[in-house]
Amino acid sequence: MTKFIILSIAFAISASLWSEKLIAASVDKSVIRVNTTMQSYNLVQPWEKGASSTRIGLGAVLGGGKVLVTAQMVTDATYIELEKPDTAAKTTAQVITVDYEANLALLKPINDNDFLSDRIPFELDTDLSPKDKVEAWQFETSGTPVTTQITVSKAEVRQSFIDTSRFLQIQANGPVQYRSGSFTLPVAKNNKLAGLLISYSSKDQISNILPASIIEHFLKDTEDGKYTGFPNLGIMYSQTLDEQFRNYLKLNQEDGGVFVSKVIEGASAAAASIKSGDVILSINGKGIDSRGNYNDPVWGKLSFSHLVRGKAFTGDSIKIKILRAGQKKEIDLQLIRRPAEDYLIDPYMFDRGPKFSIIGGLVFQELSVPFLKLFGNDWQSRAPIKMLMAHASPEMYEKEGRRKLVILTRTIPTPATLGYERLSTLIVTKINGVPINDIQDVDKAATMPTNGQHRIEFDSYPKLIFLDAVLAGRVNASLEQRIGITKRLK
């Protein structure tokens, strides 16, 4: 009898292990092709779109009939398609949540809710550490699964898809051959999702991976259906390595800390009354050294920003120890996120065209970082100095009540703009006496000409110009017929 019970238990354990093996994630059942058609807007002629392009990537199947991809895969997407590599079956999909700062997006089939029912969802593995072996999963053009083993080496907080956003990334070593034009690749550890491979250097054979810990943070935030995004501390800081500087700040030899050089209005630090001149010594008990790093138990030295963006959620409270005028002080800080649309100059702009308005051939737009980047890779030195100053110190305009910075981006040669054809990249201050604080003000001011003329003021030469209001109205009607749209205010 005892022998029978033991055999029964052994059989049950064996059956359980076999069952787990059957439902474990696999390349052919947990990875899906994502085909995207995208079309961005023309920032010079904002009423137009640029040429269409396509992008192919691989997504990770998750529970609830969802697919995880990088946000880069769906920027300015006009069409998204999911494709099963093993059967070539396809269906259209839509974005349900996207975070361009974290470079993550969730997709879901639009009409076919059962499309992913024969797929096996990934579980997450957030316990990566140095020397771990992970696999990049992908497919041949034929649909044959391909796995490539690479070795985790280190982690660091690096620039993400957006220039101003920095998140934890894992570095792994080993050759990875991209197959079938894949743009992103799921990375697995023990058949669980360990991250998304977002870039690869064939020269150095180094892969950069967005880890599952950041993915988990993103997914938890989406659970209640109200995605809030990763919080912003909202400071600019300097290292405190110089001994004379440390003496001036009255920093002890055993203290590290970073010097707060600027506090961004509307973000967490400003709300907690952290000031320029403060020195941040620790966050939630984690000491910060003079270079701005804390000691992570797994990865060693990491930027302290990971304690805010990678470890905490918007709405969480954290404890920050600061040094202010030589006195140590602990502050309870509630983390908030300042949305990108609340900045004077939009740091990025996807899935919509630039807001603009035309008066008689003068094209007005809200300034954005993508517009500044039209001046080339070295735009930070080549763009107009007034715009660069506004980008560096937006508070001087925000104090005036500006919600956005409106500029004259170009002049279309028309009968109303004779003599003004070369005017461009000027910051607008008033139109017809109305202070211009966003693009809606331009549209409102255009309805109130004075003595039959539009009076347009700038903050630099030529300072003031006039347009005949009747002629400008006729030109706008003609442009409406020719280009189809003369304003976009939302």
Side-chain angles (χ1 to χ4, degrees), residues 95-366:
V95 178
I96 55 175
T97 308
V98 62
D99 188 326
Y100 288 110
E101 294 176 15
N103 197 14
L104 289 168
L106 274 180
L107 311 180
K108 197 168 187 178
I110 293 177
N111 298 315
D112 190 352
N113 293 328
D114 294 326
F115 183 76
L116 298 172
S117 60
D118 62 340
R119 304 291 102 173
I120 301 173
F122 268 110
E123 293 180 23
L124 298 183
D125 188 330
T126 59
D127 294 327
L128 281 182
S129 58
K131 298 184 180 180
D132 278 352
K133 302 293 185 182
V134 295
E135 293 180 334
W137 285 4
Q138 55 185 316
F139 299 94
E140 299 281 8
T141 307
S142 62
T144 303
V146 177
T147 62
T148 307
Q149 189 176 87
I150 50 181
T151 304
V152 173
S153 56
K154 65 177 184 177
E156 59 183 339
V157 177
R158 300 186 59 191
Q159 178 182 307
S160 184
F161 172 42
I162 304 299
D163 295 350
T164 53
S165 295
R166 300 175 74 240
F167 285 88
L168 183 71
Q169 290 184 25
I170 306 298
Q171 193 175 95
N173 300 327
V176 177
Q177 293 184 1
Y178 278 106
R179 309 297 175 94
S180 190
S182 296
F183 187 74
T184 56
L185 306 178
V187 175
K189 176 187 172 185
N190 298 326
N191 293 76
K192 293 182 179 181
L193 185 66
L196 294 175
L197 193 155
I198 54 177
S199 67
Y200 173 69
S201 168
S202 57
K203 177 182 177 182
D204 302 317
Q205 295 187 350
I206 293 175
S207 300
N208 288 309
I209 299 166
L210 191 64
S213 58
I214 300 298
I215 294 170
E216 182 181 54
H217 189 298
F218 170 74
L219 295 177
K220 283 183 177 178
D221 198 349
T222 65
E223 287 177 355
D224 62 358
K226 297 178 182 179
Y227 186 74
T228 55
F230 291 74
N232 313 103
L233 185 56
I235 65 166
M236 296 179 69
Y237 68 91
S238 303
Q239 297 179 344
T240 57
L241 296 169
D242 183 79
E243 283 301 321
Q244 290 185 343
F245 187 38
R246 291 178 62 82
N247 291 336
Y248 168 77
L249 296 171
K250 300 179 181 179
L251 272 168
N252 297 327
Q253 288 296 324
E254 65 271 14
D255 288 330
V258 291
F259 176 78
V260 179
S261 57
K262 184 175 180 178
V263 178
I264 310 299
E265 290 299 322
S268 307
S273 299
I274 289 178
K275 302 175 181 179
S276 297
D278 289 345
V279 178
I280 298 179
L281 301 173
S282 68
I283 296 178
N284 281 343
K286 299 282 188 181
I288 298 168
D289 67 22
S290 300
R291 289 182 169 83
N293 298 317
Y294 77 99
N295 192 35
D296 186 87
V298 176
W299 302 108
K301 297 290 185 180
L302 287 179
S303 169
F304 76 94
S305 64
H306 182 58
L307 293 171
V308 177
R309 304 212 87 183
K311 298 286 189 179
F313 289 83
T314 299
D316 286 354
S317 290
I318 61 174
K319 291 188 180 296
I320 293 187
K321 183 182 287 186
I322 66 169
L323 182 73
R324 178 178 293 171
Q327 300 295 316
K328 291 182 179 179
K329 181 179 181 180
E330 192 165 78
I331 294 176
D332 289 322
L333 181 148
Q334 185 174 33
L335 292 171
I336 60 178
R337 177 180 180 271
R338 187 181 183 187
E341 57 270 20
D342 286 356
Y343 285 85
L344 178 77
I345 300 172
D346 286 355
Y348 54 89
M349 189 167 52
F350 299 113
D351 308 323
R352 69 169 179 88
K355 298 176 184 178
F356 75 98
S357 184
I358 299 176
I359 302 177
L362 300 179
V363 182
F364 302 94
Q365 283 181 229
E366 292 181 347

Side-chain angles (χ1 to χ4, degrees), residues 359-362 412-420 466-468 470-473 475:
I359 302 177
L362 300 179
I412 303 171
T414 72
T417 59
L418 286 175
Y420 300 144
F466 294 91
L467 256 63
D468 183 279
V470 174
L471 187 55
V475 167

